[in-house]
């Protein structure tokens, strides 16, 4: 529900109501002294409704021809009649296109009132100052003032009402401003022509001759725009398909999909989720939010796939479109991203065999999506699903090739890749990079006495302890081989690295692991482990990756293992050679 600040709302309402009363008293009602052609007025009223309902669309720019008709009505019948036609035509348009009346529609009517009032005032003031005419009794300069005021007050008062409603202010592209200026300028000669035709002998028939082509032009623009838009959409889908067939990179595929969606559809938020069948959940793999106002509503949380709109899309493998303000749920028990979404489109990412994900597009306005939009998104999702799924499988396979199956840490190959990148980064930004090599003491005896399954349990136990003592986002932990581990510590000096290594040594010594003695008694036993750790730091002890590993390894064996184990040693270099 829209929240409006009373401190902003009440003064605006009071000012509007007082102005309406003053206006009704100041302007005499036209029926008292102006003859009204009811049939002609009804005709132009119908034209006004139609032009409201079918504005010219140029890509994402909507251009209304309503000012052409409203200026004629104002010049012919006065301000109050023009205001009545404007308000009633807007009311009917909202009535037939919206599900229910809302407070925001009241602001639209207020906007129309202020725009009509300011335009009329500018007309009368300028008319008093410049009573010149161009054709007969048509006051050209006041008409120009009327149109200019209508143009500027439309944008100024629109942003005023948005500010009152705590919504982001409206911004206009050059394309929008250019076409708005053109249509307002067209209103001057066309309205003058309507008056001349209507007043000088042709009457209602002449007005029809001028008015009907206006509607035809609007309709032709609509057809041309639809054809151009369809061609652009086909081109976008073709380019998307081509990019998918040549890529197995998940991020590039997602970039291509989001870009394609942006090219053919406007939205406030786009969510792409991958279905994790093992965990029965939807994992977000891409989120795109259009501006900072909507970004505050975004979330990157994982969704349950057992209920809500997500479940309906997955189970029925069909899209869902909702174009009204309602309680929307993407998943069970969770409101729709805690955001006042009023339009939602959900389309499955479906391969030939199964649903592998869901695309959600959301808008903060009603009636934001059409059946045509759903069809286009379905076509893109169909082409995207297989490529994204294959890219994800390929990515997971690559990751598994770099991970140790027992501990989930990087393996030797993964460590080497991370080490090379870490050295390059440290060289580029000139910061220290510490390397710790850790070896479990007397590990062979554990295997011999309790068996390899127990040995594996010890390794996973120590791997968990190591991970709990490092920075999760920055440090790199790997199982280097057998019972050896490596730890990369970026931005870490020798003294800091030594402190981290010693705290880790004490933590491992103080945390025995409970195992079952399957080879002998079958009872639970506690195994206390100790480790020997070698430390080397780039660029203090080495100037490349190979030297850094060799020196940390030597520090561990010579400085820690050979000097009694259960200790930390830092690489040192002396005159007689290298020792630790």
């Amino acid at each position: 529900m829209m929240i409006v600040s009373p401190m902003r709302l009440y003064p605006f309402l009071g000012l509007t109501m007082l102005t309406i009363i003053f206006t009704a008293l100041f302007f005499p009602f036209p029926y008292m002294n102006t003859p009204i052609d009811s049939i002609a007025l009804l005709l132009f009223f119908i034209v006004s409704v139609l032009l409201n309902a079918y504005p010219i669309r140029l890509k994402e720019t909507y251009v209304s021809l309503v000012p052409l008709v409203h200026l004629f009505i104002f010049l012919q019948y006065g301000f109050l009649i023009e205001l009545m036609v404007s308000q009633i035509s807007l009311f009917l348009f909202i009535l037939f296109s919206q599900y229910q009346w809302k407070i925001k529609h009241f602001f639209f009517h207020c906007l129309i009132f202020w725009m009509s009032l300011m335009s009329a005032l500018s007309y009368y003031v300028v008319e008093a100052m410049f009573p010149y005419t161009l054709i007969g009794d048509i006051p050209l300069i006041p008409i120009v003032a009327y149109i200019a005021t209508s143009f500027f007050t439309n944008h100024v008062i629109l942003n005023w009402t948005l500010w009152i409603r705590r919504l982001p202010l409206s911004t206009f592209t050059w394309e929008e401003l250019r076409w708005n200026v053109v249509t307002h300028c067209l209103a001057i000669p066309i309205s003058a022509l309507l008056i001349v035709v209507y007043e000088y002998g042709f009457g209602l028939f002449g007005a029809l001759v001028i008015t009907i082509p206006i509607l035809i032009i609007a309709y032709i623009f609509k057809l041309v725009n639809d054809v151009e838009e369809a061609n652009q959409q086909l081109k976008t889908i073709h380019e998307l398909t081509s990019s998918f067939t040549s890529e197995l990179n998940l991020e590039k595929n997602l970039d291509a999909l989001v870009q394609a969606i942006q090219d053919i559809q406007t939205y406030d938020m786009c969510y792409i989720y991958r279905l994790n069948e093992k965990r029965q959940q939807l994992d977000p793999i891409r989120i795109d939010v259009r501006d900072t106002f909507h970004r505050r509503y975004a979330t990157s949380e994982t969704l349950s796939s057992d209920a809500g709109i997500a479940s309906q899309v997955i189970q029925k493998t069909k899209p869902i479109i909702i174009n009204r303000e309602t309680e929307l749920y993407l998943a069970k028990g969770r409101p729709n991203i805690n955001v006042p979404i009023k339009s939602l489109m959900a389309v499955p990412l479906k391969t030939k065999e199964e649903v592998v994900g869901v695309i959600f597009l959301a808008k903060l306005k009603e009636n934001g999506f059409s059946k045509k939009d759903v069809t286009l998104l379905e076509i893109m999702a169909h082409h995207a699903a297989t490529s994204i799924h294959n890219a994800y499988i390929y990515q997971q396979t690559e990751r598994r090739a770099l991970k140790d199956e027992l501990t989930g840490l990087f393996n030797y190959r993964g460590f080497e890749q991370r080490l090379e990148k870490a050295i390059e980064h440290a060289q580029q930004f000139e910061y220290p990079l510490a390397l710790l090599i850790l070896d479990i003491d007397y590990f062979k005896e554990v295997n011999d006495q309790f068996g390899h399954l127990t040995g594996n349990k010890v390794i996973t136990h120590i791997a968990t302890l190591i991970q709990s003592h490092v920075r999760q986002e920055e440090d790199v932990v790997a199982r280097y081989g057998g019972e050896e581990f490596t730890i990369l510590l970026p931005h870490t000096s020798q003294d800091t690295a030594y402190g981290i290594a010693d705290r880790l040594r004490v933590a491992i010594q103080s945390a025995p692991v409970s195992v079952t003695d399957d080879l002998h008694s079958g009872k639970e036993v506690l195994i206390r482990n100790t480790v020997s750790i070698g430390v080397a730091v780039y660029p203090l002890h080495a100037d490349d990756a190979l030297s850094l590993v060799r020196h940390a390894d030597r520090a561990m064996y010579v400085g820690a293992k050979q000097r009694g184990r259960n200790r930390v040693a830092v690489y040192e270099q002396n005159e007689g050679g290298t020792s630790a």
Side-chain angles (χ1 to χ4, degrees):
M1 186 171 184
M2 185 186 69
I3 300 176
V4 181
S5 171
M7 295 302 294
R8 298 179 180 184
L9 174 63
Y10 295 151
F12 176 72
L13 292 179
L15 178 63
T16 302
M17 295 305 297
L18 287 174
T19 307
I20 291 174
I21 295 172
F22 173 79
T23 302
L25 295 174
F26 181 78
F27 290 103
F29 202 76
Y31 281 120
M32 301 295 293
N33 51 19
T34 303
I36 299 291
D37 187 337
S38 302
I39 298 178
L41 185 60
L42 178 61
L43 165 69
F44 288 110
F45 170 73
I46 294 172
V47 171
S48 176
V49 173
L50 292 175
L51 290 177
N52 260 321
Y54 299 105
I56 296 175
R57 181 182 176 187
L58 302 168
K59 294 183 179 179
E60 294 303 322
T61 302
Y62 287 88
V63 178
S64 175
L65 296 177
V66 171
L68 278 65
V69 176
H70 285 191
L71 177 57
F72 167 75
I73 295 174
F74 170 76
L75 293 173
Q76 191 68 27
Y77 301 115
F79 161 66
L80 287 180
I81 293 296
E82 185 273 328
L83 179 61
M84 289 172 57
V85 171
S86 300
Q87 295 286 3
I88 296 173
S89 61
L90 176 63
F91 174 79
L92 292 177
F93 170 68
I94 293 174
L95 182 66
F96 289 113
S97 62
Q98 304 287 332
Y99 288 95
Q100 55 184 341
W101 185 265
K102 299 181 182 300
I103 190 172
K104 67 178 181 181
H105 301 142
F106 171 77
F107 283 96
F108 294 157
H109 284 279
C110 290
L111 171 62
I112 294 296
F113 166 76
W114 283 106
M115 187 174 66
S116 297
L117 176 63
M118 299 303 293
S119 301
L121 287 176
S122 67
Y123 175 90
Y124 293 130
V125 170
V126 174
E127 184 183 39
M129 298 173 60
F130 303 97
Y132 303 110
T133 60
L134 179 64
I135 302 175
D137 296 326
I138 300 175
L140 178 62
I141 297 179
I143 288 176
V144 173
Y146 179 95
I147 288 295
T149 306
S150 174
F151 175 79
F152 286 109
T153 54
N154 180 27
H155 300 307
V156 172
I157 299 175
L158 172 62
N159 276 319
W160 186 20
T161 56
L162 290 173
W163 176 78
I164 291 173
R165 297 167 58 203
R166 293 185 178 275
L167 294 176
L169 300 184
S170 177
T171 57
F172 298 93
T173 64
W174 166 244
E175 187 76 8
E176 290 175 307
L177 289 174
R178 183 164 64 91
W179 282 105
N180 275 319
V181 169
V182 169
T183 52
H184 277 77
C185 290
L186 281 176
I188 298 174
I190 294 178
S191 296
L193 182 60
L194 282 171
I195 291 176
V196 171
V197 169
Y198 184 73
E199 290 288 342
Y200 294 91
F202 294 97
L204 185 58
F205 176 76
L208 276 172
V209 170
I210 302 299
T211 306
I212 291 177
I214 296 175
L215 295 175
I216 294 175
I217 290 171
Y219 186 71
I220 290 174
F221 264 96
K222 179 180 182 299
L223 291 179
V224 171
N225 181 77
D226 288 345
V227 172
E228 182 182 349
E229 186 179 43
N231 289 335
Q232 181 59 42
Q233 289 165 348
L234 289 174
K235 181 181 176 182
T236 300
I237 292 172
H238 174 71
E239 291 174 351
L240 178 68
T241 306
S242 301
S243 66
F244 280 158
T245 56
S246 60
E247 289 289 350
L248 269 178
N249 184 296
L250 180 61
E251 290 303 314
K252 288 185 178 180
N253 278 328
L254 291 171
D255 288 342
L257 176 58
V258 171
Q259 184 59 55
I261 295 174
Q262 290 176 359
D263 289 343
I264 67 171
Q265 178 63 61
T266 58
Y267 57 81
D268 293 322
M269 283 167 283
C270 171
Y271 291 84
I272 303 177
Y273 286 88
R274 187 190 68 84
L275 177 61
N276 187 330
E277 288 187 304
K278 184 177 181 181
R279 297 183 179 179
Q280 289 298 302
Q281 65 185 29
L282 287 163
D283 300 322
I285 55 177
R286 180 55 60 90
I287 296 172
D288 182 55
V289 183
R290 303 308 297 150
D291 56 45
T292 53
F293 175 76
H294 302 121
R295 194 167 293 126
R296 64 177 177 173
Y297 296 119
T299 180
S300 58
E301 294 182 11
T302 296
L303 300 177
S304 170
S305 62
D306 63 349
I309 293 175
S311 175
Q312 297 176 41
V313 173
I314 293 169
Q315 292 175 7
K316 298 179 180 178
T317 68
K318 292 183 178 179
I320 289 177
I321 180 172
I322 299 176
N323 272 324
R324 63 185 183 279
E325 186 174 10
T326 183
E327 289 294 328
L328 303 181
Y329 288 85
L330 296 184
K332 183 178 181 180
R334 179 173 297 159
N336 179 34
I337 333 172
N338 290 326
V339 58
I341 285 178
K342 298 178 183 178
S343 298
L344 181 72
M345 180 164 55
V347 172
L349 281 166
K350 182 172 59 175
T351 64
K352 291 182 180 180
E353 297 82 15
E354 58 184 350
V355 174
V356 297
V358 182
I359 301 175
F360 293 99
L361 295 186
K363 289 185 180 182
L364 271 68
K365 66 176 184 178
E366 293 180 352
N367 303 309
F369 301 111
S370 65
K371 292 182 179 179
K372 178 183 175 183
D373 296 328
V374 175
T375 301
L376 288 170
L377 189 59
E378 271 192 292
I379 294 172
M380 286 194 294
H382 172 72
H383 289 294
T386 301
S387 296
I388 289 177
H389 183 60
N390 290 342
Y392 178 79
I393 297 299
Y394 178 76
Q395 183 186 76
Q396 293 301 105
T397 303
E398 276 200 325
R399 286 180 178 177
R400 282 196 292 269
L402 301 177
K403 291 297 184 75
D404 173 59
E405 291 186 4
L406 179 63
T407 62
L409 303 175
F410 285 109
N411 56 21
Y412 178 80
R413 179 186 170 194
F415 166 73
E416 279 194 322
Q417 290 185 6
R418 295 303 186 279
L419 175 61
E420 290 292 341
K421 291 180 180 179
I423 287 289
E424 289 178 7
H425 206 263
Q427 289 174 340
Q428 181 181 358
F429 296 99
E430 299 181 348
Y431 62 75
L433 172 68
L435 172 62
L436 278 54
I437 294 185
L438 177 153
D439 185 83
I440 304 174
D441 297 328
Y442 305 109
F443 183 71
K444 184 177 183 301
E445 295 180 8
V446 173
N447 278 337
D448 292 343
Q449 183 176 352
F450 299 104
H452 289 284
L453 291 178
T454 297
N456 287 343
K457 191 170 184 179
V458 170
I459 288 174
T460 55
H461 171 72
I462 292 179
T464 302
L465 284 174
I466 294 173
Q467 287 180 297
S468 67
H469 281 75
V470 299
R471 296 166 295 188
Q472 299 300 315
E473 300 297 328
E474 190 172 4
D475 300 337
V476 177
V477 182
R479 186 183 177 191
Y480 196 59
E483 69 272 22
E484 286 188 343
F485 297 86
T486 57
I487 308 171
L488 276 174
L489 303 171
H491 303 281
T492 305
S493 64
Q494 174 181 305
D495 292 342
T496 303
Y498 181 89
I500 293 171
D502 197 56
R503 287 194 295 273
L504 181 58
R505 178 191 64 81
V506 172
I508 292 173
Q509 183 182 13
S510 305
V513 56
S514 175
V515 299
T516 302
D517 185 4
D518 292 326
L519 299 183
H520 302 95
S521 64
K523 296 180 179 179
E524 292 289 321
V525 296
L526 289 177
I527 298 178
R528 295 188 177 276
N529 301 283
T530 62
V531 293
S532 299
I533 305 176
V535 179
V537 179
Y538 167 88
L540 181 63
H541 303 134
D543 55 7
D544 57 49
L546 182 62
S547 299
L548 187 64
V549 173
R550 187 169 61 245
H551 294 166
D553 196 47
R554 182 173 180 81
M556 187 267 291
Y557 274 104
V558 177
K561 286 283 186 185
Q562 292 182 7
R563 294 184 181 180
R565 294 181 171 83
N566 190 24
R567 61 186 298 160
V568 177
V570 179
Y571 175 80
E572 296 177 356
Q573 186 173 3
N574 55 33
E575 295 180 0
T578 302
S579 64

